[in-house]
Amino acid sequence: MIRTRVGYAGGLKDNPDYHHIGDHTETVQVDYDLQRITYDALLDIFWHNHDPTSQSWSRQYKHAVFTHDDRQERLAMASKRALEKKIGRTVKSEVVPVNTFTLAEDYHQKYILKQHDDLNAEMSRIYPIHREFIDSTAAARLNGYAGGHGSKDQLAREIDRLGLTEAGKKSLTHMVSRK
């Protein structure tokens, strides 16, 4: 994963925001490296990280894969059908072409990371311009670790590439070790 950003997609309303979302759905945009992970692997992560058989309770929080082209749509639909066959139930999560993606407000970006004052301060030092923070691979990785994703072994392999001070590395290592 190169970076993630949260925002709004799937609707027609111009300039949606959290309080005026219109017909959009809150979503996460994932930029990834095809040399490290495939689209099919990302789909597996999506299907396994929510209950795809449950009905979405609102358009704002709809379970959906937003596809960018015909290839992604074909792969997403094939993986949906394969999951239905495997579990013997109807998958209610949708596969939807993305028309536009609008970034969510700054306070939504890297929300979990921002709950950790010491790590957030480290990122603010490295990325004084908030848009650079939003687009940062390191901030996305830290947000994932802060959210309980990633192993101690993964962290050990990449900790020196995250730009943290020794205190920041110690804090992050302690956080990941408690999982």
Side-chain angles (χ1 to χ4, degrees), residues 114-172:
K114 289 178 179 177
Q115 305 312 302
H116 297 273
D117 293 338
D118 54 342
L119 295 175
N120 190 40
E122 294 255 350
M123 290 292 99
S124 294
R125 174 186 55 80
I126 298 167
Y127 303 105
I129 299 170
H130 199 264
R131 180 58 196 242
E132 292 174 358
F133 169 75
I134 292 169
D135 292 340
S136 163
T137 299
R141 302 294 297 162
L142 287 174
N143 195 58
Y145 285 119
H149 306 283
S151 68
K152 291 185 277 188
D153 290 340
Q154 285 174 306
L155 178 59
R157 286 191 302 271
E158 73 174 336
I159 197 164
D160 290 331
R161 295 190 309 262
L162 298 175
L164 299 171
T165 64
E166 289 306 314
K169 290 178 186 179
K170 184 177 179 180
S171 175
L172 182 59

Side-chain angles (χ1 to χ4, degrees), residues 8-155:
Y8 313 106
L12 300 174
K13 178 182 178 5
D14 288 334
N15 303 312
D17 63 43
Y18 185 74
H19 298 289
H20 304 95
I21 197 167
D23 56 349
H24 289 272
T25 299
E26 289 186 28
T27 190
V28 62
Q29 181 184 60
V30 178
D31 294 344
Y32 61 100
D33 179 351
L34 274 168
Q35 302 301 315
R36 301 192 68 168
I37 190 167
T38 65
Y39 186 68
D40 286 325
L42 289 174
L43 289 168
D44 286 342
I45 292 167
F46 171 77
W47 298 123
H48 289 96
N49 279 284
H50 75 289
D51 179 0
T53 63
S54 69
Q55 187 65 44
S56 298
W57 57 277
S58 73
R59 184 172 182 104
Q60 181 174 359
Y61 301 113
K62 175 171 54 177
H63 302 160
V65 173
F66 290 97
T67 59
H68 291 271
D69 56 37
D70 290 340
R71 179 184 167 277
Q72 285 185 352
E73 182 178 11
R74 280 192 310 276
L75 291 171
M77 290 302 296
S79 70
K80 179 179 177 176
R81 287 189 298 273
L83 180 60
E84 287 178 328
K85 184 176 180 180
K86 179 180 177 182
I87 64 175
R89 295 179 62 195
T90 300
V91 169
K92 295 179 180 174
S93 300
E94 298 178 40
V95 175
V96 182
V98 66
N99 310 1
T100 61
F101 176 82
T102 303
L103 277 177
E105 297 78 4
D106 286 351
Y107 65 90
H108 288 293
Q109 305 296 332
K110 312 301 184 273
Y111 181 80
I112 298 171
L113 174 58
K114 289 178 179 177
Q115 305 312 302
H116 297 273
D117 293 338
D118 54 342
L119 295 175
N120 190 40
E122 294 255 350
M123 290 292 99
S124 294
R125 174 186 55 80
I126 298 167
Y127 303 105
I129 299 170
H130 199 264
R131 180 58 196 242
E132 292 174 358
F133 169 75
I134 292 169
D135 292 340
S136 163
T137 299
R141 302 294 297 162
L142 287 174
N143 195 58
Y145 285 119
H149 306 283
S151 68
K152 291 185 277 188
D153 290 340
Q154 285 174 306
L155 178 59

